[in-house]
Amino acid sequence: MNNFLSIYNLDHNLIQSFIKSAAETKNSKSDDDLNFANGKILASIFEKPSTRTRLSFDVAMRKLGGQCIIIDQNELHLGNNKESITDTAKTLSQYVDIVMYRSQSHESLQKLASFSKVPIINGLSDFSHPCQAMADLLTIYEKKSGFEGIKVNWIGPITNVARSWIEIANLNLGIKLKIFSNDYSISEYHKKCEIYKIKPDLDNMEVHNNLKKLDSADVVITDTWESMGETVNEKIIKNFSSYTVNQEMMRIFGDECIFMHCLPANRGQEVTPEVIDGPQSVIWDEAQNRLHIQKEIIKWCL
Ligand code: CP
Ligand code: NVA
């Protein structure tokens, strides 16, 4: 069964074929996949808010001819010790063909997948956000015509999106990832890996806590400093103050460098409005690509 839980469960060739197929389908006028999911139902479960993931999965499923049921956690017995994840997984498997789950904890996602008889998609957990990272890859593929030799700089906290990017960097697609973060966030990364029994893997990339090491790049990515469900105090925010992506940094990266952000963004904190709304920003292509990549993910799972 094809679960889409993490990038590191996938291989180089599969990722390449996802991206190529998404790019082709996006640009094709053909409606070949119009009936792909005919008669199939996707359940999307949300334990955290969402705009892009919620809408793009719903629209993707409909465009493939299927149907979608969207459920917020407070509408289920799941959580608050009312019904276990095991019983929820077994129940869902009786009714729907595929489940997309935005979970508070990666452990719940892993459990749901291990007890479910239908494929499970990670729609963001506290550990990773593989659907977002795949849409980011599609955006880079379109803007930079491939991955070989592409220099990607991640600036700021090592969030769920960053962890999916670390997994991408380990796939040998030719992308060179540099992470610029502070010591607190790097040690938190190691702690999270320990909690979810995932091997920390920063060997294939450069990790810096010194912004003086910034130099030219093809892509710069950042994310909110306060991820959903996290308590980030003033001290942490202050320690990140020099990590705001601004025009000065963009000059170092160069005119050809594109700026990416998964959204929602906190303008003025992790990025200045001039950069996120400026000519080098590709955030709206990235948001649109969520739809095209979700279609590929659903097709693979089904
Ligand atoms: N990028 C992303 O996952 O956005 P939502 O939280 O709106 O789904
Ligand atoms: N790191 C962010 C990503 C939002 C799509 C969060 O988890 O809130």
Side-chain angles (χ1 to χ4, degrees):
M1 194 168 63
N2 287 340
N3 289 316
F4 190 86
L5 302 183
S6 293
I7 303 276
Y8 69 77
N9 298 135
L10 313 170
D11 73 14
H12 174 111
N13 292 335
L14 183 65
I15 297 281
Q16 295 270 18
S17 78
F18 263 119
I19 299 298
K20 284 200 177 121
S21 173
E24 274 165 27
T25 315
K26 177 177 173 180
N27 294 318
S28 137
K29 298 261 177 295
S30 129
D31 48 12
D32 280 355
D33 56 12
L34 204 60
N35 293 314
F36 190 95
N38 211 357
K40 305 280 183 197
I41 297 180
L42 165 80
S44 292
I45 303 173
F46 289 92
E47 292 183 352
K48 293 178 178 183
S50 166
T51 301
R52 280 145 289 268
T53 307
R54 181 178 298 247
L55 284 160
S56 58
F57 267 105
D58 192 353
V59 173
M61 193 61 185
R62 291 177 198 219
K63 290 214 177 230
L64 292 171
Q67 288 176 295
C68 195
I69 302 172
I70 299 182
I71 316 155
D72 281 324
Q73 189 198 19
N74 57 12
E75 295 164 342
L76 288 177
H77 293 294
L78 177 65
N80 306 319
N81 298 324
K82 282 186 279 174
E83 188 164 28
S84 69
I85 198 103
T86 319
D87 287 2
T88 305
K90 289 181 181 166
T91 306
L92 285 167
S93 304
Q94 310 297 316
Y95 303 127
V96 301
D97 303 282
I98 179 167
V99 176
M100 194 283 295
Y101 183 31
R102 171 162 286 195
S103 65
Q104 296 280 1
S105 118
H106 198 72
E107 193 187 359
S108 308
L109 179 80
Q110 289 168 326
K111 262 196 190 158
L112 188 78
S114 65
F115 291 105
S116 170
K117 291 198 163 43
V118 298
I120 305 293
I121 299 171
N122 176 358
L124 178 149
S125 73
D126 62 329
F127 189 79
S128 62
H129 197 0
C131 298
Q132 179 65 50
M134 291 295 290
D136 295 352
L137 266 185
L138 174 58
T139 311
I140 294 173
Y141 180 80
E142 291 175 331
K143 299 287 172 191
K144 300 288 174 189
S145 311
F147 303 127
E148 194 52 53
I150 294 294
K151 292 195 273 181
V152 176
N153 283 358
W154 179 277
I155 315 276
I158 303 183
T159 63
N160 38 16
V161 180
R163 284 185 286 267
S164 289
W165 260 98
I166 291 170
E167 293 171 11
I168 284 180
N170 284 313
L171 284 177
N172 300 322
L173 293 169
I175 288 178
K176 295 182 174 65
L177 178 64
K178 281 189 197 174
I179 295 176
F180 291 86
S181 198
N182 64 20
D183 291 335
Y184 167 81
S185 193
I186 295 165
S187 75
E188 286 296 298
Y189 165 75
H190 287 283
K191 271 192 214 155
K192 279 241 191 265
C193 288
E194 208 171 294
I195 294 170
Y196 297 126
K197 299 181 180 53
I198 288 165
K199 185 181 154 287
D201 205 348
L202 296 171
D203 296 346
N204 291 331
M205 61 212 74
E206 290 181 30
V207 183
H208 298 287
N209 59 5
N210 181 357
L211 290 167
K212 292 210 171 80
K213 296 257 164 89
L214 287 179
D215 60 9
S216 69
D218 300 294
V219 181
V220 56
I221 319 183
T222 190
D223 189 2
T224 176
W225 292 351
E226 293 172 273
S227 280
M228 291 178 274
E230 284 180 6
T231 320
V232 180
N233 61 40
E234 283 303 313
K235 192 166 161 237
I236 296 167
I237 301 272
K238 207 165 152 228
N239 285 340
F240 271 113
S241 59
S242 53
Y243 287 81
T244 305
V245 179
N246 56 26
Q247 294 284 36
E248 203 184 316
M249 277 190 196
M250 293 307 287
R251 271 191 285 280
I252 299 174
F253 300 139
D255 292 346
E256 299 301 315
C257 178
I258 54 173
F259 171 81
M260 307 210 328
H261 191 306
C262 60
L263 303 175
N266 192 347
R267 285 170 172 76
Q269 194 166 81
E270 70 271 15
V271 58
T272 61
E274 292 74 25
V275 171
I276 194 168
D277 299 316
Q280 286 167 268
S281 173
V282 296
I283 56 167
W284 301 117
D285 301 85
E286 212 182 337
Q288 191 203 89
N289 281 339
R290 292 295 305 276
L291 170 63
H292 301 291
I293 215 73
Q294 307 324 14
K295 280 171 82 180
E296 293 308 311
I297 294 170
I298 293 170
K299 286 200 264 182
W300 180 72
C301 288
L302 286 178

